[in-house]
Amino acid sequence: MTGIELININKTFTGSTIKAVENFTLTIPQGSFISLLGPSGCGKTTTLRMLTGLETPDEGIIRLGDKVLFNGETKELVPTEKRGMGLVFQSYALWPHMTIEQNISFGLEMQKVPKEEIAGRIEKIISLLRIEGLEKRYPNQLSGGQQQRIALARMMVLNPHILLLDEPLSNLDAKLRLEMRAELKRLHRELKNTVIYVTHDQMEAMTLSTEIAVMSRGKLQQYAPPMEMYKKPANLFVADFIGSPPMNHFSIADGESLAKTIMPLFPELAEKAFTIGLRPESIMVNPHSTAARENFWKHSAQIETVLPTGSEWIIGLRIDNISFFALLVEDCDYNPGDNVKVVIDPKNFLIFDKEGTRISR
């Protein structure tokens, strides 16, 4: 089994003139954990469904290694059941009248797998997902996290080469989501299968993925490893979507005084620059003198608001008529109205052109 290729995929639903997926091209290496990330309606679930064969593209090519799953020109189309993929939906969709053991074994029974082999596979997957002791219970007797594990077990017991997950954790509370992220990461490390994961939660994508594909309005915006995408976003959309709190923006075109004081640091970009971006955690507030080197950008600012989160502090700042946020990890005793000094390493400024594309420096 080798990687997956989607080449120039287009999809428009009947009755709509807007492309749900447009000129989408992506190569997914074998054994990777890929997240399709974006807001609702961006085309990520449609892309996943086209991979499984539940939706048919209008144009393009989908390959699994040397095998063509779909070709818009030749009309080749491999049906869902012959693609060797497993799909886990947002809904657990467990049979309420069946025990957990029966739910997990149902697909194997439909495939006429011998009973001895079914028993062995179930024992192995139950151990792998750490759900021992639940076999004789019914779904309504389980917690949300346990039901999610059962949904995964039911699919994984079929040994799919590729596992497709469509927002599987969105029904869980924050604690269970964290536990299941760790579980999915462990399972991927142990099984080494290819996972394609749909989510609108950038934290899930950042913590789980080997690569992230960010989508907007049906188009691929960037495809890169999580930290590369965070540090080098391709455009303003990606810069805004990845990161919490979101990136600060300073417009050059509006003649804002703050941007005017920053741009002298980058004279070679004066003709191209349109927007300056800055991550909140890149802002130092009243740093020790040793941290404020001569080439760092410095400016006085006023505290507007202080928002403690427990482990961090989100500090609202104002310079002239421009408001922005800093993220501090150390304890602070600032109050609204306090005057402080803001210091920033020039390498942390991101410069974008008029089209919103990041300019490499």
Side-chain angles (χ1 to χ4, degrees), residues 211-276:
E211 286 86 24
I212 301 173
V214 175
M215 299 180 67
S216 175
R217 298 182 179 180
K219 295 182 180 180
L220 180 64
Q221 301 295 311
Q222 187 173 3
Y223 182 46
M227 290 313 298
E228 179 182 334
M229 185 170 288
Y230 185 81
K231 294 177 180 179
K232 298 179 180 179
N235 53 43
L236 277 171
F237 179 85
V238 176
D240 275 343
F241 206 84
I242 301 289
S244 180
M247 180 177 286
N248 299 298
H249 294 166
F250 309 117
S251 172
I252 297 169
D254 293 339
E256 293 178 351
S257 58
L258 186 56
K260 286 182 177 180
T261 67
I262 297 170
M263 280 312 299
L265 298 171
F266 314 104
E268 73 282 6
L269 303 180
E271 298 300 319
K272 299 179 182 178
F274 192 82
T275 304
I276 298 171

Side-chain angles (χ1 to χ4, degrees), residues 147-201:
Q147 289 186 52
Q148 185 62 74
R149 282 182 168 88
I150 303 307
L152 281 169
R154 181 181 57 188
M155 185 55 62
M156 293 171 64
V157 78
L158 300 174
N159 294 329
H161 299 298
I162 298 162
L163 188 61
L164 309 176
L165 306 176
D166 190 3
E167 302 201 44
L169 309 186
S170 57
N171 291 332
L172 305 181
D173 61 35
K175 184 174 184 294
L176 281 175
R177 283 170 77 103
L178 181 60
E179 291 176 359
M180 284 304 300
R181 283 178 202 157
E183 195 73 7
L184 286 171
K185 192 104 173 181
R186 179 183 69 84
L187 289 171
H188 179 251
R189 185 175 62 249
E190 292 183 10
L191 298 176
K192 297 179 173 58
N193 54 352
T194 302
V195 179
I196 303 172
Y197 189 95
V198 165
T199 182
H200 63 270
D201 187 327

Side-chain angles (χ1 to χ4, degrees), residues 32-306:
S32 56
F33 193 124
I34 303 300
S35 286
L36 300 178
L37 174 67
S40 297
C42 73
K44 53 189 186 293
T45 294
T46 300
T47 301
L48 195 78
R49 289 174 65 86
M50 287 190 289
L51 269 172
T52 63
L54 296 175
E55 298 285 353
T56 303
D58 302 325
E59 300 172 294
I61 297 171
I62 301 176
R63 289 198 191 103
L64 177 57
D66 296 330
K67 183 179 182 181
V68 175
L69 302 182
F70 171 81
N71 188 315
E73 290 188 4
T74 64
K75 306 304 179 185
E76 290 178 78
L77 179 64
V78 175
T80 299
E81 65 274 13
K82 294 184 179 180
R83 295 194 178 193
M85 299 181 183
L87 178 60
V88 178
F89 294 98
Q90 179 178 346
S91 169
Y92 310 133
L94 302 176
W95 295 105
H97 62 287
M98 292 183 180
T99 65
I100 298 312
E101 186 175 33
Q102 290 169 335
N103 265 282
I104 296 173
S105 67
F106 182 77
L108 295 173
E109 291 171 358
M110 292 298 99
Q111 293 181 358
K112 309 296 184 182
V113 175
K115 288 186 177 180
E116 297 77 13
E117 184 178 344
I118 290 176
R121 284 207 209 177
I122 289 178
E123 182 180 359
K124 183 178 179 180
I125 201 69
I126 282 176
S127 174
L128 185 67
L129 284 165
R130 300 172 182 172
I131 49 177
E132 298 94 335
L134 304 180
E135 297 93 322
K136 303 304 178 184
R137 296 189 190 181
Y138 290 88
N140 64 1
Q141 297 174 314
L142 304 182
S143 68
Q146 289 170 330
Q147 289 186 52
Q148 185 62 74
R149 282 182 168 88
I150 303 307
L152 281 169
R154 181 181 57 188
M155 185 55 62
M156 293 171 64
V157 78
L158 300 174
N159 294 329
H161 299 298
I162 298 162
L163 188 61
L164 309 176
L165 306 176
D166 190 3
E167 302 201 44
L169 309 186
S170 57
N171 291 332
L172 305 181
D173 61 35
K175 184 174 184 294
L176 281 175
R177 283 170 77 103
L178 181 60
E179 291 176 359
M180 284 304 300
R181 283 178 202 157
E183 195 73 7
L184 286 171
K185 192 104 173 181
R186 179 183 69 84
L187 289 171
H188 179 251
R189 185 175 62 249
E190 292 183 10
L191 298 176
K192 297 179 173 58
N193 54 352
T194 302
V195 179
I196 303 172
Y197 189 95
V198 165
T199 182
H200 63 270
D201 187 327
Q202 55 103 3
M203 182 63 71
E204 282 184 3
M206 289 290 291
T207 54
L208 290 173
S209 311
T210 55
E211 286 86 24
I212 301 173
V214 175
M215 299 180 67
S216 175
R217 298 182 179 180
K219 295 182 180 180
L220 180 64
Q221 301 295 311
Q222 187 173 3
Y223 182 46
M227 290 313 298
E228 179 182 334
M229 185 170 288
Y230 185 81
K231 294 177 180 179
K232 298 179 180 179
N235 53 43
L236 277 171
F237 179 85
V238 176
D240 275 343
F241 206 84
I242 301 289
S244 180
M247 180 177 286
N248 299 298
H249 294 166
F250 309 117
S251 172
I252 297 169
D254 293 339
E256 293 178 351
S257 58
L258 186 56
K260 286 182 177 180
T261 67
I262 297 170
M263 280 312 299
L265 298 171
F266 314 104
E268 73 282 6
L269 303 180
E271 298 300 319
K272 299 179 182 178
F274 192 82
T275 304
I276 298 171
L278 182 66
R279 297 281 184 198
E281 63 271 22
S282 298
I283 300 172
M284 294 181 280
V285 178
N286 282 344
H288 299 298
S289 58
T290 54
R293 299 178 185 173
E294 286 301 317
N295 65 325
F296 283 14
W297 183 85
K298 308 176 186 68
H299 209 292
S300 59
Q302 188 176 68
I303 301 288
E304 280 195 313
T305 185
V306 178

